[in-house]
């Protein structure tokens, strides 16, 4: 009926339908507009969508009155299982352009000036931007301070001038650090970095840091245990495993606090005897509440007199299945892949060669690219040449993991607690070479044994007493003087010496038997040996 009326009025029905459809397209509801936009965006970004968690979200605000522009960064991911600390030694102007992601829980420090930006608003900038912000904050109100507090003004002005020189690039080197207990901050590394210029370490948070992050709180039910429960493992419960005989192959369960959520968890430990090496203790923590899991390896026994270097030539695919123990004090280098892992970065690991390289690759990719970035794009903020360098680096590391190239692994351990499986045992393995070396003073200091005195007491035990450097030097001078007096008394002819002096000399010779070697001072008292 409607069609007939339109025809009678001289209007084509097909044109009328098209016109109505166009009107409906123009005046359609807001909901339909939004739905159409969402469908268009989904089609356009289908190939680029990342299913992984969003780590950083940038929020930008602009005031229309004063035109104040504020760019803030908030972490859109979860609190990491461990805290992280990045230390960078600035050596050239290019280092100023390294990207910095500072979360609201992180602290940025200029170590040489002992100044910092405390936890606060998150930022996405570079090193130069962080230094400029510190300079701006310090310079604020300097004119007023100059009149009211000249002494304070002078002290701050000294730091301001030093910061200006740093930003201009006339003062190198200097050290900056970025520490975040939440593990959500990042300082851009470079392929040219060495262990002396850039170090990224992860650490377990303290109870205070967990409380500041809002972790922990009410007590939950006890975790299920899989091994023999050892009581009194917590400090507030009396100690550790005192009086417990650890048996090879038996799993023990210790109550502990989860580093991830600060709630009660269990640590499973087991002693393993590695053939032709020594006994090690493997520990693992798995939290059933937050999913945190980690494992570590500790070696036992006494501190060796010298460090050890181990070279392993990886030539065949079977070499990837060799057992390898990297202690927490071991430096690992793979020159062919430009890999260098500093002590303390990965902790202790007992795995295979393939497993160790895979973990190194995964850890590095998590720092350079997104955690779930399977394409290796690295984000649109990474320069093309830098991205190409990282792609070539990971390509070489992937070839090493797959056994497609020959390379050498060097492990340098000042405590000689690292190990590579010998496939020809008990005969020497032609692909393994070992070497002992004297520890440096820096290594002795870092390991805490530089100023350690070990003495043999009357009960037949060795005790260790920590000494300061000054005390150690004075102690050494006194021992040298005593040795000289003893030698002088021995060289004097018998008819000249008195009986008293001779007795004193002999007694001093017995009481002063000592060995000073590699930073150790071992005193063996005569009454103890008797």
């Amino acid at each position: 009926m409607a069609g007939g009326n339109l025809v009678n009025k001289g209007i084509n029905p097909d044109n009328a339908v098209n016109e109505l459809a166009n009107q409906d397209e123009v005046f359609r509801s807001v909901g339909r507009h939004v739905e159409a936009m969402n469908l268009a965006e989904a089609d356009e970004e289908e190939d680029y969508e990342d299913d992984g968690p969003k780590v950083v979200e940038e929020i930008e605000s602009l005031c229309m009155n004063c035109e104040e522009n504020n760019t803030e960064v908030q972490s859109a991911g979860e609190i990491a299982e461990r805290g992280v600390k990045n230390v960078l030694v600035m050596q050239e102007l290019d280092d100023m352009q390294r990207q910095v992601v500072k979360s609201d829980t992180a602290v940025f420090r200029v170590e040489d000036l002992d100044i910092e930006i405390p936890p606060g608003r998150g930022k996405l900038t570079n090193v130069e931007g962080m230094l400029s912000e510190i300079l701006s904050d310090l310079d604020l109100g300097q004119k007023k301070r100059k009149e009211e507090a000249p002494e304070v003004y002078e002290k701050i002005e000294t730091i301001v001038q030093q910061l200006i020189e740093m930003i201009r690039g006339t003062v190198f080197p200097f050290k900056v650090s970025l520490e975040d207990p939440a593990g959500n901050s990042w300082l851009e590394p470079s392929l040219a970095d060495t262990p002396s210029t850039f170090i990224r370490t992860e650490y377990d948070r303290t109870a205070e840091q967990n409380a500041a992050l809002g972790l922990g709180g009410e007590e939950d039910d006890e975790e299920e245990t899989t091994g023999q429960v050892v009581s009194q493992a917590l400090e507030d419960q009396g100690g550790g495993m005192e009086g417990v005989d650890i048996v090879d192959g038996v799993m023990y369960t210790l109550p502990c606090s989860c580093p991830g959520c600060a709630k009660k968890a269990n640590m499973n430990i087991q002693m393993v005897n590695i053939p032709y090496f020594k006994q090690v203790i493997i520990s693992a923590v798995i939290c059933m509440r937050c999913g945190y899991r980690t494992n570590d390896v500790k070696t036992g026994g006494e501190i060796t007199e010298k460090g050890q270097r181990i070279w392993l030539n990886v030539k065949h695919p079977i070499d990837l299945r060799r057992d390898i123990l990297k202690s927490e004090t071991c430096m690992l280098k793979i020159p062919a892949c430009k890999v260098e892992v500093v002590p303390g970065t990965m902790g202790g690991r007992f795995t295979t060669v393939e497993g160790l390289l895979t973990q190194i690759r995964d850890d590095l990719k998590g720092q350079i690219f997104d955690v779930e970035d399977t394409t290796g794009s690295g984000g649109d903020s990474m320069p093309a040449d830098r991205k190409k360098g990282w792609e070539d680096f990971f390509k070489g590391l992937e070839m090493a993991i797959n056994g497609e190239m020959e390379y050498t692994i060097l492990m340098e351990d000042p405590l000689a607690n690292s190990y590579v499986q010998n496939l020809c045992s008990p005969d020497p393995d032609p692909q393994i070479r070992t070497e002992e070396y004297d520890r440096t003073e820096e290594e002795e200091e870092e390991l805490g044994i530089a100023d350690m005195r070990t003495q043999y007491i009357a009960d037949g035990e060795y005790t260790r007493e920590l000494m300061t450097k000054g005390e150690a030097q004075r102690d050494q001078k006194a021992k040298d003087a005593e040795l000289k007096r003893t030698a002088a008394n021995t060289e004097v002819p018998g008819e000249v010496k008195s009986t008293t002096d001779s007795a004193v000399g002999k007694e001093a010779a017995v009481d002063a038997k000592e060995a000073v070697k590699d930073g150790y001072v071992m005193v063996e008292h005569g009454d103890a040996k008797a």
Side-chain angles (χ1 to χ4, degrees):
M1 188 69 178
N5 293 336
L6 292 173
V7 171
N8 293 336
K9 294 180 180 179
I11 301 176
N12 190 335
D14 295 336
N15 293 337
V17 172
N18 293 335
E19 184 176 352
L20 292 173
N22 292 335
Q23 292 178 1
D24 183 62
E25 179 68 21
V26 174
F27 297 103
R28 58 184 175 177
S29 64
V30 176
R32 293 181 60 186
H33 270 290
V34 173
E35 183 180 2
M37 291 175 62
N38 291 337
L39 291 174
E41 290 177 359
D43 293 338
E44 183 179 354
E45 300 179 1
E46 183 177 2
D47 297 333
Y48 304 96
E49 189 170 359
D50 186 7
D51 295 331
K54 192 174 182 182
V55 179
V56 174
E57 181 174 323
E58 185 174 355
I59 302 174
E60 184 172 358
S61 62
L62 176 64
C63 179
M64 303 305 296
N65 296 322
C66 64
E67 298 184 358
E68 175 69 20
N69 192 1
N70 173 31
T71 301
E72 183 177 350
V73 172
Q74 293 182 356
S75 175
E78 299 177 350
I79 295 177
E81 296 175 350
R82 308 179 75 190
V84 63
K85 182 175 182 179
N86 300 273
V87 179
L88 171 65
V89 178
M90 306 286 293
Q91 294 184 310
E92 55 185 2
L93 279 174
D94 289 344
D95 292 333
M96 292 288 184
Q97 305 306 316
R98 297 204 189 203
Q99 194 175 62
V100 177
V101 178
K102 177 187 177 298
S103 74
D104 54 1
T105 58
V107 176
F108 181 88
R109 289 180 56 86
V110 182
E111 302 291 346
D112 295 59
L113 301 180
D114 197 20
I115 56 178
E116 66 181 32
I117 298 179
R121 193 179 61 195
K123 305 181 191 318
L124 175 59
T125 178
N126 54 22
V127 176
E128 182 180 0
M130 299 298 292
L131 296 177
S132 299
E133 180 177 346
I134 297 176
L135 176 62
S136 176
D137 292 343
L138 289 176
D139 195 48
L140 186 65
Q142 274 292 83
K143 293 182 179 179
K144 189 175 182 180
R145 289 192 200 98
K146 188 175 183 180
E147 298 176 356
E148 298 179 355
E151 295 181 358
V152 178
Y153 165 81
E154 293 295 337
K155 293 180 180 179
I156 296 180
E157 188 63 22
T158 302
I159 299 177
V160 167
Q161 294 303 320
Q162 288 177 326
L163 277 173
I164 292 175
E165 297 298 324
M166 289 179 176
I167 295 174
R168 289 176 178 174
T170 59
V171 178
F172 285 117
F174 62 92
K175 185 184 297 183
V176 298
S177 66
L178 180 66
E179 182 175 358
D180 187 1
N184 290 327
S185 296
W186 183 70
L187 180 58
E188 183 182 2
S190 170
L191 285 171
D193 288 333
T194 64
S196 60
T197 59
F198 182 84
I199 298 178
R200 175 185 171 92
T201 56
E202 296 182 354
Y203 61 89
D204 294 331
R205 288 185 289 268
T206 63
E208 292 76 12
Q209 290 172 330
N210 279 322
L213 295 173
L215 300 176
E218 66 278 358
E219 300 294 336
D220 293 327
D221 297 334
E222 296 293 332
E223 292 277 355
E224 294 183 1
T225 60
T226 56
Q228 176 182 339
V229 179
V230 179
S231 60
Q232 294 186 353
L234 296 178
E235 291 183 1
D236 56 355
Q237 295 177 352
M241 298 185 62
E242 296 182 3
V244 178
D245 294 331
I246 300 179
V247 181
D248 287 353
V250 178
M251 183 185 297
Y252 299 87
T253 300
L254 303 175
C256 65
S257 296
C258 173
C261 64
K263 295 184 179 179
K264 285 187 176 181
N266 289 321
M267 175 188 293
N268 296 327
I269 67 171
Q270 184 173 356
M271 182 182 292
V272 177
N273 190 5
I274 301 179
Y276 305 103
F277 185 54
K278 60 175 67 175
Q279 290 180 328
V280 299
I281 295 179
I282 301 177
S283 63
V285 177
I286 301 177
C287 181
M288 305 304 295
R289 298 182 179 88
C290 67
Y292 174 86
R293 59 179 58 217
T294 184
N295 60 79
D296 197 5
V297 178
K298 301 290 186 183
T299 55
E302 61 182 5
I303 297 177
T304 58
E305 293 185 0
K306 295 186 177 183
Q308 185 183 53
R309 296 187 182 98
I310 303 176
W311 287 269
L312 170 64
N313 295 323
V314 180
K315 297 182 178 180
H316 312 289
I318 193 174
D319 294 326
L320 298 173
R321 296 195 289 269
R322 290 177 184 259
D323 290 335
I324 186 170
L325 171 61
K326 175 201 165 298
S327 74
E328 58 185 1
T329 59
C330 174
M331 163 84 76
L332 186 140
K333 299 180 182 179
I334 308 177
C337 300
K338 300 179 180 178
V339 171
E340 196 163 341
V341 182
V342 298
T345 302
M346 296 176 58
R349 289 292 181 268
F350 182 41
T351 176
T352 61
V353 173
E354 181 182 4
L356 186 63
L357 295 183
T358 301
Q359 184 172 4
I360 293 174
R361 179 200 62 189
D362 294 343
D363 289 348
L364 287 175
K365 272 197 172 182
Q367 298 176 27
I368 306 303
F369 303 125
D370 291 338
V371 178
E372 300 294 334
D373 185 7
T374 57
T375 63
S377 62
D380 55 3
S381 63
M382 182 177 291
D385 56 342
R386 196 172 300 170
K387 185 185 300 184
K388 179 66 166 55
W390 283 113
E391 288 174 353
D392 294 342
F393 170 80
F394 285 113
K395 187 180 298 182
L397 194 54
E398 199 71 38
M399 292 177 61
I401 294 174
N402 297 330
E404 300 173 358
M405 59 180 288
E406 294 185 6
Y407 53 94
T408 300
I409 298 176
L410 167 61
M411 295 196 299
E412 183 174 313
D413 193 342
L415 295 181
N417 285 334
S418 297
Y419 159 84
V420 175
Q421 182 182 8
N422 184 345
L423 300 180
C424 303
S425 294
D427 298 327
D429 193 322
Q431 294 178 226
I432 298 178
R433 181 167 66 92
T434 61
E435 174 189 84
E436 291 186 344
Y437 70 95
D438 294 327
R439 286 187 288 264
T440 63
E441 293 183 2
E442 291 77 11
E443 288 175 332
E444 294 274 356
E445 185 74 26
E446 189 172 337
L447 294 171
I449 57 179
D451 300 327
M452 186 180 292
R453 179 173 59 190
T454 306
Q455 67 179 14
Y456 189 78
I457 61 177
D459 296 336
E461 298 180 355
Y462 285 95
T463 60
R464 291 180 176 177
E465 298 175 336
L466 293 177
M467 304 173 62
T468 64
K469 284 187 175 180
E471 292 175 343
Q473 292 173 356
R474 290 192 297 270
D475 189 67
Q476 186 63 41
K477 289 180 179 178
K479 290 167 184 169
D480 293 341
E482 183 67 25
L483 287 175
K484 288 181 180 179
R485 286 195 298 269
T486 304
N489 291 335
T490 305
E491 293 172 358
V492 175
E495 63 270 18
V496 179
K497 291 191 302 180
S498 67
T499 358
T500 309
D501 291 338
S502 176
V504 172
K506 291 180 180 179
E507 184 179 355
V510 174
D511 288 339
K513 288 181 180 179
E514 58 186 9
V516 181
K517 186 177 182 182
D518 296 334
Y520 291 96
V521 179
M522 182 171 294
V523 181
E524 296 182 347
H525 294 278
D527 54 350
K529 295 189 69 175

